[in-house]
Amino acid sequence: MRRVLLLLVLLLAVPAMPASAQLADWIDSRPGARSIALAGASVVTAPGDHAVVGIAADDLRRDLAAVTGRTTGGGQIWAGTIGRNAAIDRLIASGKLDAKRLRGAWESFVIATVEHPAPGVPRALVIAGSDRRGTAFGIYELSRAIGVSPWRWWADVTPLNQPELHVRAGTQRFGPPSVKYRGIFLNDEDWGLHPWAATHFEPEAKGIGPKTYARLFELMLRLKANTLWPAMHKVTPAFNANPANAALAHRYAIVMGSSHAEPMLRNNVGEWTAPGEDFNYAANAKGVADYWRERVATNARYESIWTLGMRGIHDSGIVGAGTMEDRKALMARILADQRAMLAKAGIAGAPQVFTPYKEVLDIYRAGLAVPDDVTLMWPDDNFGYIRRFPQPSERDRPGGHGVYYHLSYLGAPLAYLWLSTTPPALIAEEMGRAFDLGADRMWIANVGDLKPAELATDYFLSLAWDVPGTRAMGVDRFVARWATENIATDPAAEIADIFAEHHRLNFIRRPEHLQWWRTGERVRGSPYDAGEAARRMAAFDRLLERLQAVERRVPAARRDAFFELLGYPVESAAMANARLFAAEAHDRLRDRDLDAALVQAKSAHAADRRIAALTAQYDAVADGKWRGFIAVEPADGQWKSYRALPPVLPAIAAGPVERAPLPQGEAAREVAIEAETLAGNWRRVDGLGRNGALIASRSGQTVSARGSFTLPPGKWRLTAELVPTFPDAEGAPLALDLMLDGTSHAIRLARETGDAAWSQAVLDNRLAVPVADAVGGGAHLIALSASGGGVLVDRLVAIPISGE
């Protein structure tokens, strides 16, 4: 009873969240406003319009009822596609609706108030789309404008009640998008999305099927995304093996594609039933071609993006050719035959994409000729750093360029599948640079299981829809707006700050990467001494205090959303660090202070139990809706070579287990010179770097910066710390010129994915470059310069030389 009373007191103490704060500026919530009433409004569509328009209209009706509590008595909302809705076409013909910029536009729409649209109708709100997705996007935009989050279902973002809603007079215009094809790739779904669907949400499909995809397609439309690469691991039923999936995608107007390893919309691990060695175009061209041709026959009538080229089964290298010349000739033959299949099916003009990924990039670099109308899809290095950008000689190709980007990854040197910690600022930096250099045809983000990557996914797709507008907003403002939309208004700025600190701490080291050895290496602990570990955990503890303070201000209706979007990932990451550093403190103390060591052992167990309790809470949230979805990394013994080993905790006697502070160590003796404090024309980038900011060079320009710093007496070793990006120019080194007290230091770093330097850099999110030894104490002058984009300088670090 006391617990119940305490809960009631806490709920009553939470201030009511003003629903009006979540409304677009063209929505009026004042009672009696003289404009079109949305409470109880009727949504009118044409029977001959596209299926997706009817789907979106039904969702809008439900959204209006959920927000206003009414289903009748309001104004009229007309929604339709130009050329498929006679009433809207008449408004355009009469001049009552200005649609000049809609005709022939891609995925564009207007939302406009129209006076006397028809006899007996004093006014109506008209949503007119240039095409079927434009209309659907417009309908869902109205839902978002009245406070319905795109994450309503996927993150349990309950709409807040607003009994009075009106649309201000005027016209709102949207589109065309910055990037033509924008979407996501469901991947590495073995531990989250698949088992959840198979055992809880959609057991009849034995995994991810039409019921799950319908929910996903709705989310994509609400986020103005249009392209999906479906889940494709062996545990998951192949998307196109069930014809209902492709038909559903067509109804939702979703463009279906497939990953770089799955040419011609084929899921090889699920659909290729012959021996794996027969997936060889050099030795078995007819068998492989028949396999591809079958999919062309079944899916030619749908809007698809056809992946060209070939790799081995499940992301392995192409087989059948030994020398590079043989590989190039084989790939050219494959491309020609695949395009001939599409032409024979009458879809020669369908969008086609070629992804130079892993060994395929080497074949492209060797001179493979890819037809100009095929989109070249450039991948990142699997850790958020784009490894190649469109070069000047390639930028005018009609097929354009795209980017395949990872927000989740299963692979070497270590996977990151549990918590989504890629900073939005890194997405902004890398994808923004790709856009500036010509990659505007297709963006796909590997989102893993989708949850808990909601923020990163939303930011990626928002940027793809409107690069200039999203950039102008800045990451912090975007996250604050996102927090208002999905969690709460009053602490939105504080929530944005919590996210920023969460991303900063985990950019230093991801929670899945709290293991400092890789496969084949000697086991070793973290490089943190006692003082460094204590300072890192103190930062996490301060973050948790802020999280708890914010939670008390979140309205009851949004507590589930708060936990899913913010509470679980932030506290779980903190506990993963607490577990590791307490265990390491135990090991350090064991031989000299047993009592203190046992305190730290219990603290490590307490953190481990807290992670288990948080995950159990996720299973129970929203009345058990997500039971079995979240799997703590590493979830099992599969793919061991790519995943951190389970933590080894100290043995302790039975008894109370609670967290304790780490023992304090010596104060840090290093001196850090933050690059953003230097004066010059480099770009400042907030949200990246050890201290939350850094400087970046500019594509096509030479930049310089200078400043001074003072070192205490002694001898010091100076190191420059850069973010492990790749330069604009292919094959060029990452180049930074550093001047220290008049002496020039030319930093030239060859960037090659897969080597030891790259592996270390992506785990650290840092390139540490020695600059000078035996730098004396006193005042020093520093200058930095770089030409071209891709150089991100975080800081310069001076470390005392032992014995000096």
Side-chain angles (χ1 to χ4, degrees), residues 308 335 339 348 350-354 364 368-377 393-401 441:
L308 304 184
L335 293 177
R339 285 166 62 81
Q352 300 157 40
V353 63
F354 178 77
Y364 178 81
L368 175 70
V370 178
D372 283 348
D373 61 334
V374 175
T375 301
L376 292 177
M377 191 82 166
S393 62
E394 302 164 333
R395 289 177 194 160
D396 292 336
R397 52 183 297 113
H401 300 264
R441 184 61 55 89

Side-chain angles (χ1 to χ4, degrees), residues 281-282 318-321 325-335:
Y281 208 76
I318 189 172
V319 297
E325 283 303 310
D326 288 343
R327 289 184 177 187
K328 189 168 66 172
L330 179 62
M331 188 67 75
R333 176 187 169 196
I334 290 168
L335 293 177

Side-chain angles (χ1 to χ4, degrees), residues 377-694:
M377 191 82 166
W378 301 110
D380 68 349
D381 66 349
N382 306 317
F383 289 82
Y385 303 107
I386 300 174
R387 58 188 295 194
R388 190 189 189 280
F389 296 86
Q391 299 301 292
S393 62
E394 302 164 333
R395 289 177 194 160
D396 292 336
R397 52 183 297 113
H401 300 264
V403 176
Y404 168 40
Y405 194 80
H406 286 77
L407 301 174
S408 174
Y409 181 61
L410 173 64
L414 285 174
Y416 55 104
L417 302 173
W418 175 29
L419 303 175
S420 178
T421 54
T422 298
L426 182 62
I427 302 170
E429 185 67 23
E430 289 293 274
M431 298 306 300
R433 182 156 61 112
F435 180 83
D436 291 341
L437 293 173
D440 61 0
R441 184 61 55 89
M442 184 176 178
W443 287 10
I444 301 293
N446 183 326
V447 300
D449 291 311
L450 183 63
K451 295 175 69 67
E454 296 95 340
L455 172 58
T457 300
D458 202 324
Y459 185 80
F460 179 92
L461 294 174
S462 296
L463 188 67
W465 171 260
D466 181 6
V467 170
T470 306
R471 266 179 168 170
M473 185 182 303
V475 168
D476 287 343
R477 279 182 57 207
F478 178 93
V479 176
R481 188 187 72 172
W482 194 82
T484 294
E485 183 178 43
N486 293 288
I487 301 174
T489 303
D490 179 35
E494 176 68 5
I495 290 171
D497 287 344
I498 289 172
F499 267 122
E501 180 68 353
H502 169 69
H503 286 123
R504 184 187 75 81
L505 289 169
N506 292 294
F507 188 69
I508 295 172
R509 197 75 178 188
R510 292 183 189 267
E512 299 93 342
H513 296 166
L514 296 175
Q515 171 182 300
W516 271 263
W517 72 91
R518 300 187 294 277
T519 301
E521 294 182 340
R522 179 180 60 84
V523 174
R524 64 180 185 273
S526 77
Y528 291 67
D529 62 27
E532 291 172 310
R535 286 187 291 276
R536 180 166 172 81
M537 280 316 307
F540 274 113
D541 288 340
R542 290 192 298 271
L543 185 62
L544 292 182
E545 289 175 2
R546 296 170 66 185
L547 182 73
Q548 292 162 4
V550 161
E551 184 177 12
R552 291 191 288 268
R553 297 160 62 187
V554 174
R558 291 288 177 84
R559 288 291 175 86
D560 287 347
F562 167 86
F563 178 76
E564 294 172 43
L565 299 173
L566 186 67
Y568 181 84
V570 170
E571 188 171 359
S572 293
M575 290 302 101
N577 280 265
R579 179 177 61 187
L580 170 81
F581 291 117
E584 290 194 341
H586 163 272
D587 295 344
R588 282 197 304 268
L589 294 167
R590 180 82 188 190
D591 293 337
R592 56 188 173 87
D593 190 340
L594 182 59
D595 289 342
L598 291 178
V599 168
Q600 293 304 317
K602 290 182 178 182
S603 187
H605 281 272
D608 189 60
R609 292 185 184 184
R610 182 57 183 158
I611 292 172
L614 287 166
T615 306
Q617 184 178 345
Y618 213 121
D619 284 345
V621 78
D623 296 323
K625 178 179 177 180
W626 303 110
R627 187 170 64 249
F629 199 104
I630 294 295
V632 179
E633 181 68 7
D636 54 29
Q638 302 297 310
W639 304 83
K640 289 182 180 180
S641 63
Y642 298 149
R643 301 163 77 190
L645 293 177
V648 178
L649 300 182
I652 61 171
V657 177
E658 56 186 42
R659 280 197 60 214
L662 289 175
Q664 298 297 308
E666 293 184 5
R669 294 194 62 205
E670 70 178 30
V671 176
I673 303 97
E674 298 293 340
E676 68 272 13
T677 64
L678 304 178
N681 64 338
W682 290 66
R683 289 185 300 113
R684 178 187 171 104
V685 177
D686 291 313
L688 285 179
R690 262 51 185 170
N691 200 40
L694 48 73

